[in-house]
Structure formats: C-alpha cells, structure tokens
Amino acid sequence: MLRDIGCQVKDAATAEAALQVLDEGPVDLLLTDVGLPGVSGLQLANAARARRLDLCLVLATGDSAARAEAARLSATVVLKPYDPQALRQALQHSLALRGT
C-alpha cells in the first residue's frame, strides 16, 4: 500500500535496524507500531527524533497513554484497529505537514 501511494519503502525488522536505515541516508517518514517487542515504538520514535528533527513520525497504537507521548514528539497517530484508508490518510497528512 505504501508503494501504491508513491512511497519508497525501506523495511527494518528491529528498532536497531530502523535506526541504522536512518543513519545511512535520507528518510522522510518513520512508520512504527508502538507495541514492538524489546525496544518500544515510542523509544524508537524518540531515538529517531533525536537523530533527525525533520523526520515525520507516524505511530500506530491502541493505547491512549501512548497518544500523549506521540503528541510530544509531534507524531501523527493512527488508532488501532485501523483500515488501509486511515493509514493512507495519516501518512499523507504527515508528509503534507512536512511539505514532502
């Protein structure tokens, strides 16, 4: 779906791999679930924001407490369960705010 809306996608199986992708070159947006095993999606988002202040963050969560942290990070939140259209709108909204 991400490719269908014109995104180039770089997959990362772990938070550490995602941070390595960020360190290797330009990335416009990070999409992560808050509930990751090991390093949480919020911890990943915090580390990503520390590396790249201009990075768009989109966090998927069903946890209302995580929404406050996402707001602190200026992240777009997609509430779970979500449908593909809601995710598409969140991604497009986040990128539009950045001007990408």
Side-chain angles (χ1 to χ4, degrees):
M1 184 198 69
L2 297 174
R3 288 180 180 93
D4 289 344
I5 63 170
C7 295
Q8 292 180 341
V9 177
K10 297 179 181 181
D11 295 322
T14 65
E16 293 79 16
L19 293 174
Q20 184 175 357
V21 168
L22 288 176
D23 290 340
E24 291 173 352
V27 175
D28 295 322
L29 184 140
L30 172 68
L31 167 63
T32 187
D33 195 297
V34 169
L36 297 177
V39 174
S40 77
L42 288 173
Q43 290 169 316
L44 170 58
N46 274 303
R49 176 66 77 220
R51 283 172 162 78
R52 305 271 302 282
L53 294 175
D54 64 334
L55 183 67
C56 295
L57 298 171
V58 178
L59 304 175
T61 185
D63 179 9
S64 60
R67 288 186 241 167
E69 180 68 12
R72 188 188 69 72
L73 291 167
S74 299
T76 299
V77 174
V78 180
L79 297 176
K80 295 185 332 186
Y82 57 84
D83 60 37
Q85 184 61 26
L87 178 58
R88 178 185 304 232
Q89 289 173 343
L91 295 172
Q92 290 172 327
H93 172 76
S94 185
L95 289 169
L97 289 176
R98 184 176 184 266
T100 302

